Amino acid sequence: DDMRLGKENNLPFIQHVAMDGNFKEEMGELAGLNVKPIENHQATDIEIIKYLAKNGTLFSKEKYEHSYPHCWRCDTPLINYATSSWFVAVTKIKEKALKSAKNINWSPANMKEGRFGNWLEGARDWSISRQRFWASVMPIWVCDICGEKKVVGSIDEIREGFDNPNKLFLVRHGEAESNTKNFPSSIPKKSKNSLTEKGREQIEKTALNLIDKKIDLIITSPLSRAVETAEILAKKTGAKIISDDMLRETDIGKLKGKKVQFDFLDEQQFIKNNSYGVETFFQMEERLQKFIEKINIKFSGKNIVVVSHGDTIRMFKGVLCGESVKEIYQKRFPKNGEINIEYSKKVDLHKHTVDKITFKCERCQGEMRRVPDVLDTWFDSGSMPYAQKHYPFENQERFEKNFPADFIAEGVDQTRAWFYYLHIIGNGIKDKEAFRNVIVNGIVLAEDGKKMAKKLKNYPDPMEMLEKYGADSMRYYLMSSPVVAAQNLSFKESDLGEVTRGMMRMLWNSYSFFVLYAEIDKFEGDKNFNPQKLKGLLDKWIISELQMLIRDFNLHMENYELHKAARLLPKFVDNLSNWYIRRSRKRFWKSENDGDKNEAYQALYCVLTELSKLMAPFTPFISEEIYKNLTGEVSVHLADFPMAKEELINEKINSDMSNVREIVNIGLQLRAKSGIKVRQPLSELRIKNYELNEEFSDIIREEVNVKNVLNVESVQNVENVTWDEEQKVGLNIEITPELKLEGQARELIRHIQEMRKEAGYEVDNRIKIWYAKENPIFLKFGDLVARETLADQVLLKSSAEDIDLEKEIKIGEDVFLVSIKR
């Protein structure tokens, strides 16, 4: 504001503080004092007060506390410092930037016209220069006589300042027969290994990218595929070809003419003095270093195409960049016909090197020197799309194909930083937006809502969280939270734990259930099975729910709404575990593999494999485990993402099943309210205004454990029938002697199931049951007990039997002595 006021009143600008924070000589008695001494922040303030008092210009003095900026690293007080700067004229491209911003899809959508749009609307010219050391240098040279300015666009323009290195265009040969047939080919030189038709087309395309590069020379490996490549390039560029044995492929020694796995060859290349005489990476590194020394002696400032092989080009590039053999080997293998540009001598673009480079001014022959400033780091960040592909010097086609970027993501604080600078530079040099879709993330805060800080120790150790709950749970917790929708998240370990205990455990239990029974029955899933063939109501329902999940999941993902997609998963996993599998459990218990049992297997197999694909981006590890184990395929992350099959979606079944579950929940609540256990059968459940067929009524009967389900049009005051508050469902709570007896039978079944576990039986083991004395439970409900406990016989114990386990079971007032045998 002071600067603006001075400018409005034509006051002179006085810079009275030097870059070291000390007052300049012009300050007279105060010269040399530090504005804010580290050891005593107020020392200079006191000296200024003394000076004013001595000169009779002190109006008043008082102490007051106020906030003051400090360095976050060392706590040193900071001062605002006015200095000169270079600017990007954002105002000149503002209208264009506003127009292209309309093409960007933001998640959340309100950021588009809100935080980002408002900032862009009020954009001013961007100060891009900084007066520091570590940063990219500004490529601007100014004549010290006439003031002529020159912006340097590439290293080539100041190449002489770096001892005039050669510019090398490293080209891997086109596809050859050895590539298609997958065999190594290095020696002898005369062996015929020609380029394929595809290989020649690759190099024709490569040549088009070299035509305007003023190529002086082509140096090639002597192998036929490299020579053919060089000849095609020479025709287009007019450059002379030289063959050099130093550019050959790896010498495979005694393995010549033998079938060799490339992995085995790589192993030998790391073993010095290996028994096969294979040239090692270290030997290759040495010969390429000698080649570089040779061309630097022989040539200077030339543009040279180097044609060689995959291993050689990768090593060549690494040697020029000063990387170790281990680092080089981990780099990407160059593609056939690919161009990599490097200089044959070290080119250091840091300030201390570039500042030494000067050249003659074309206008007055004065000396041009680089301006001392460096670039704002945000200029580097905004230049990322171009820099990562070394555009426009290389990869023009790859860059154009991928610009604007389909998607980026960063924190909400980047709305006025990285997002903005990407957009401004994109409009400045490409006349369009730099990205099409963007997810704005919030900030993860401590549970108390404060910023996480090591100093405060107000957050749990991330590694401990990963060890305790797993990476999948952590990833899902964050992806399903508001933090991916530009809102802050107060990290709660209890919420993270709930993900593991809830959805993740249910999913794993569902998978484990399937594997347990599939191994018993030796079931193998059919990846090509058509779910439309499924006949069972539950199977049709879960497949329909799956397809609806896939449809809605894709819809949110295509809108970049990660949290909305993620939040669909727990409900489906709950449906799968607590409804489909629980309701289908007895189908897997059958001893014979009938059609219904096979359909249950196939439906669950289909759901688990498709669900693992769907969840893979959010829970990659458990998804991988489930998918690979069930399908035997390489990886879920290489599988196609599921697309919804609309023909498998049955809205009526989904709606009816939803109503059934609502009725069941109300019925169970009415039981609980009346204090009646679920194992105790009741006579009837009445439902009002629900139209459900017999199959759905059967489900309600089983789940609520009633003998009948009645559809009624109105609520009637019937004795023993209690209704829920909304009067949708009524339950007859009268327990007749026969119903009580059946309830006792079901209690007995529960105890026998526990005896099975205690005896260590497998889930599919058939057993025999004996009871000590006659009882109406066994006489009337013996078949029910046998069916539910996988018993072949339920018998009265007549003599000493060979048994595995015997227990007294108390049900109500009765005590039963029960024995079991596998």
Side-chain angles (χ1 to χ4, degrees):
D1 287 341
D2 293 339
M3 291 287 291
R4 179 181 54 78
L5 185 64
K7 191 174 181 180
E8 288 174 0
N9 290 276
N10 296 317
L11 297 175
F13 170 68
I14 300 172
Q15 180 60 284
H16 60 292
V17 181
M19 288 290 286
D20 59 3
N22 295 335
F23 286 130
K24 293 182 178 179
E25 291 180 10
E26 297 94 304
M27 291 293 287
E29 295 177 32
L30 300 173
L33 294 178
N34 191 275
V35 177
K36 286 287 180 186
I38 297 174
E39 64 279 359
N40 184 351
H41 299 171
Q42 295 182 346
T44 300
D45 297 342
I46 293 169
E47 291 301 317
I48 292 172
I49 291 169
K50 288 179 180 178
Y51 175 83
L52 293 173
K54 185 178 71 172
N55 288 280
T57 53
L58 180 66
F59 178 73
S60 70
K61 64 176 181 177
E62 61 179 286
K63 284 187 176 182
Y64 69 97
E65 288 188 5
H66 64 101
S67 59
Y68 194 89
H70 286 67
C71 174
W72 64 273
R73 285 192 181 94
C74 62
D75 243 11
T76 305
L78 302 173
I79 61 170
N80 289 318
Y81 191 83
T83 185
S84 60
S85 181
W86 292 79
F87 289 83
V88 170
V90 173
T91 48
K92 290 183 180 179
I93 59 169
K94 183 174 170 180
E95 291 306 315
K96 182 167 55 177
L98 284 166
K99 185 178 178 181
S100 65
K102 297 185 184 299
N103 301 328
I104 303 172
N105 171 49
W106 288 79
S107 179
N110 63 298
M111 302 293 291
K112 181 171 183 173
E113 303 297 338
R115 189 180 175 101
F116 183 78
N118 291 337
W119 182 254
L120 192 57
E121 187 70 52
R124 300 178 182 177
D125 290 344
W126 171 17
S127 169
I128 60 163
S129 65
R130 298 290 183 270
Q131 293 170 348
R132 53 193 294 184
F133 184 84
W134 292 113
S136 298
V137 296
M138 293 197 70
I140 301 173
W141 271 255
V142 179
C143 178
D144 57 7
I145 295 177
C146 69
E148 175 77 3
K149 298 180 184 68
K150 178 179 173 63
V151 179
V152 169
S154 71
I155 293 171
D156 287 355
E157 296 179 44
I158 52 172
R159 199 193 294 192
E160 290 186 12
F162 296 108
D163 195 21
N164 212 14
N166 300 295
K167 188 174 185 180
L168 306 177
F169 299 81
L170 310 178
V171 177
R172 186 187 173 197
H173 62 77
E175 182 191 79
E177 292 172 14
S178 56
N179 300 129
T180 58
K181 295 175 182 176
N182 206 29
F183 65 87
S185 171
S186 59
I187 302 291
K189 300 172 191 174
K190 294 180 182 177
S191 64
K192 194 65 176 168
N193 179 22
S194 301
L195 296 183
T196 62
E197 186 61 36
K198 179 182 175 182
R200 284 187 284 275
E201 289 174 3
Q202 289 170 338
I203 303 307
E204 291 283 353
K205 200 171 182 180
T206 303
L208 294 176
N209 292 321
L210 293 173
I211 287 176
D212 62 347
K213 300 297 187 292
K214 300 178 181 177
I215 302 301
D216 298 302
L217 182 68
I218 299 173
I219 308 178
T220 182
S221 156
L223 275 71
S224 57
R225 57 192 184 276
V227 173
E228 283 184 50
T229 298
E231 287 170 349
I232 295 171
L233 298 178
K235 284 179 184 176
K236 296 288 185 182
T237 62
K240 178 185 173 184
I241 299 175
I242 296 176
S243 177
D244 196 306
D245 193 55
M246 285 188 176
L247 296 176
R248 67 183 184 277
E249 180 60 287
T250 307
D251 185 347
I252 59 175
K254 298 174 185 176
L255 298 175
K256 290 174 219 164
K258 297 180 181 178
K259 286 189 177 180
V260 182
Q261 293 292 328
F262 284 99
D263 287 345
F264 175 75
L265 199 56
D266 286 345
E267 288 174 13
Q268 300 306 309
Q269 286 179 274
F270 271 109
I271 302 171
K272 294 180 179 179
N273 301 316
N274 59 78
S275 57
Y276 296 97
V278 173
E279 180 184 26
T280 67
F281 288 122
F282 309 99
Q283 289 170 324
M284 180 184 285
E285 178 187 40
E286 189 178 347
R287 74 166 149 98
L288 291 175
Q289 285 171 340
K290 288 179 180 177
F291 175 80
I292 292 165
E293 290 170 11
K294 182 169 77 172
I295 61 171
N296 278 336
I297 293 169
K298 196 169 183 179
F299 308 107
S300 180
K302 300 293 184 184
N303 294 336
I304 303 173
V305 172
V306 175
V307 180
S308 193
H309 310 270
D311 258 348
T312 320
I313 292 290
R314 181 173 57 175
M315 180 65 72
F316 204 141
K317 187 174 171 68
V319 169
L320 289 167
C321 295
E323 295 169 334
S324 69
V325 167
K326 188 175 181 181
E327 288 173 324
I328 293 166
Y329 181 71
Q330 291 170 344
K331 292 291 174 70
R332 181 178 66 81
F333 205 72
K335 297 176 182 177
N336 294 112
E338 181 181 332
I339 304 172
N340 282 277
I341 299 176
E342 298 291 342
Y343 286 90
S344 65
K345 295 177 184 177
K346 186 178 179 182
V347 175
D348 186 349
L349 292 176
H350 286 104
K351 180 177 168 64
H352 68 289
T353 304
V354 180
D355 282 355
K356 297 173 185 175
I357 298 174
T358 62
F359 45 86
K360 293 293 181 185
C361 173
E362 292 179 4
R363 180 198 275 182
C364 72
Q365 296 303 301
E367 193 163 46
M368 300 195 84
R369 298 181 181 277
R370 197 191 71 82
V371 298
D373 304 52
V374 293
L375 283 164
D376 174 12
T377 303
W378 287 113
F379 197 91
D380 283 348
S381 298
S383 302
M384 177 276 297
Y386 326 96
Q388 71 172 351
K389 289 189 172 66
H390 199 204
Y391 179 85
F393 307 104
E394 296 179 82
N395 306 311
Q396 290 94 336
E397 188 177 340
R398 282 178 60 207
F399 174 82
E400 298 293 349
K401 187 178 178 181
N402 293 288
F403 187 89
D406 287 327
F407 159 69
I408 63 169
E410 248 293 359
V412 66
D413 53 328
Q414 299 300 315
T415 312
R416 298 172 179 179
W418 189 52
F419 297 150
Y420 171 72
Y421 297 123
L422 278 172
H423 189 63
I424 291 300
I425 294 176
N427 279 274
I429 67 173
K430 298 297 289 183
D431 295 322
K432 55 183 165 183
E433 68 280 4
F435 49 91
R436 293 192 176 99
N437 298 280
V438 53
I439 290 177
V440 185
N441 296 316
I443 298 170
V444 180
L445 303 172
E447 189 169 348
D448 58 7
K450 294 179 181 177
K451 200 169 183 179
M452 288 186 176
K454 290 181 181 178
K455 187 189 295 184
L456 299 175
K457 296 182 180 177
N458 59 347
Y459 62 92
D461 186 313
M463 295 311 296
E464 285 183 16
M465 295 298 96
L466 290 171
E467 287 293 328
K468 191 173 180 181
Y469 302 105
D472 280 339
S473 292
M474 175 79 85
R475 187 182 177 100
Y476 177 81
Y477 171 56
L478 294 174
M479 292 298 101
S480 62
S481 77
V483 82
V484 294
Q487 297 178 42
N488 292 346
L489 167 69
S490 294
F491 183 93
K492 293 181 182 176
E493 183 180 346
S494 58
D495 290 348
L496 173 60
E498 186 52 41
V499 172
T500 302
R501 291 187 296 272
M503 182 184 76
M504 300 301 290
R505 184 169 62 181
M506 278 192 288
L507 175 61
W508 189 254
N509 287 345
S510 300
Y511 163 69
S512 299
F513 172 85
F514 175 83
V515 170
L516 177 66
Y517 285 96
E519 286 181 346
I520 291 169
D521 288 325
K522 295 182 171 51
F523 171 81
E524 290 188 13
D526 179 4
K527 288 178 281 190
N528 300 314
F529 180 80
N530 182 1
Q532 283 184 304
K533 294 179 180 178
L534 295 169
K535 303 182 187 71
L537 177 65
L538 275 171
D539 297 336
K540 289 179 179 177
W541 169 75
I542 195 64
I543 293 296
S544 179
E545 286 285 340
L546 173 67
Q547 296 305 319
M548 286 179 64
L549 171 68
I550 293 171
R551 181 191 66 190
D552 296 344
F553 195 93
N554 272 301
L555 181 66
H556 289 310
M557 291 293 277
E558 285 165 12
N559 287 329
Y560 294 84
E561 298 166 335
L562 301 183
H563 59 303
K564 291 182 180 179
R567 289 172 189 174
L568 296 172
L569 296 171
K571 182 183 176 183
F572 180 83
V573 173
D574 179 69
N575 283 341
L576 176 66
S577 175
N578 293 327
W579 194 252
Y580 176 78
I581 290 178
R582 188 171 60 76
R583 292 284 316 153
S584 299
R585 192 176 293 272
K586 292 177 184 177
R587 300 166 71 191
F588 295 91
W589 287 353
K590 296 176 183 176
S591 57
E592 71 283 355
N593 287 349
D594 64 3
D596 179 62
K597 183 176 185 179
N598 282 330
E599 287 199 3
Y601 270 126
Q602 190 59 59
L604 186 50
Y605 174 84
C606 174
V607 170
L608 288 171
T609 52
E610 290 299 294
L611 182 61
S612 63
K613 293 180 197 173
L614 204 66
M615 294 182 68
F618 293 88
T619 56
F621 298 105
I622 193 171
S623 299
E624 181 80 328
E625 180 79 9
I626 292 172
Y627 185 79
K628 284 178 71 173
N629 285 355
L630 293 186
T631 66
E633 293 185 5
V634 176
S635 173
V636 70
H637 304 294
L638 298 177
D640 290 338
F641 201 74
M643 299 298 291
K645 297 174 182 175
E646 296 290 337
E647 69 274 12
L648 294 175
I649 295 177
N650 189 319
E651 300 278 3
K652 180 73 167 61
I653 287 180
N654 293 121
S655 175
D656 285 350
M657 193 67 82
S658 178
N659 289 335
V660 164
R661 296 192 72 176
E662 182 183 18
I663 293 165
V664 168
N665 284 335
I666 296 172
L668 294 175
Q669 288 169 15
L670 290 172
R671 271 182 168 277
K673 189 177 178 182
S674 303
I676 303 171
K677 293 180 178 179
V678 177
R679 289 188 186 86
Q680 174 59 59
L682 295 173
S683 60
E684 69 175 19
L685 189 78
R686 299 185 171 217
I687 57 175
K688 187 183 77 167
N689 297 330
Y690 287 102
E691 292 295 329
L692 296 170
N693 64 28
E694 194 62 26
E695 280 188 280
F696 287 110
S697 295
D698 286 343
I699 294 173
I700 296 170
R701 274 193 285 274
E702 284 187 30
E703 289 291 323
V704 187
N705 197 9
V706 295
K707 297 300 180 182
N708 293 298
V709 174
L710 300 179
N711 284 292
V712 298
E713 294 182 0
S714 61
V715 176
Q716 299 171 346
N717 291 324
V718 179
E719 189 179 1
N720 296 322
V721 175
T722 177
W723 288 83
D724 72 301
E725 290 179 5
E726 295 181 13
Q727 295 190 319
K728 289 180 174 181
V729 178
L731 180 68
N732 190 326
I733 58 175
E734 181 187 8
I735 302 174
T736 64
E738 186 172 350
L739 290 172
K740 182 179 180 181
L741 195 64
E742 186 179 341
Q744 290 175 324
R746 293 190 179 277
E747 281 291 327
L748 183 63
I749 289 166
R750 179 177 69 84
H751 284 287
I752 294 173
Q753 296 286 33
E754 289 176 356
M755 287 178 68
R756 284 180 60 103
K757 289 181 183 177
E758 189 178 336
Y761 295 164
E762 298 293 337
V763 291
D764 62 332
N765 288 158
R766 309 296 297 185
I767 66 170
K768 289 180 179 145
I769 300 173
W770 291 274
Y771 52 95
K773 60 182 179 180
E774 288 191 358
N775 185 285
I777 292 177
F778 289 105
L779 294 175
K780 190 167 183 64
F781 295 105
D783 289 344
L784 174 65
V785 172
R787 186 169 62 251
E788 294 294 322
T789 59
L790 290 185
D792 293 326
Q793 293 176 310
V794 180
L795 302 169
L796 180 65
K797 191 174 181 183
S798 56
S799 59
E801 305 283 355
D802 179 19
I803 61 172
D804 293 333
L805 184 64
E806 186 173 74
K807 270 198 168 185
E808 281 191 349
I809 296 173
K810 186 176 181 182
I811 299 174
E813 299 301 319
D814 296 330
V815 177
F816 304 90
L817 186 65
V818 177
S819 310
I820 61 173
K821 168 73 178 175
R822 181 164 50 184

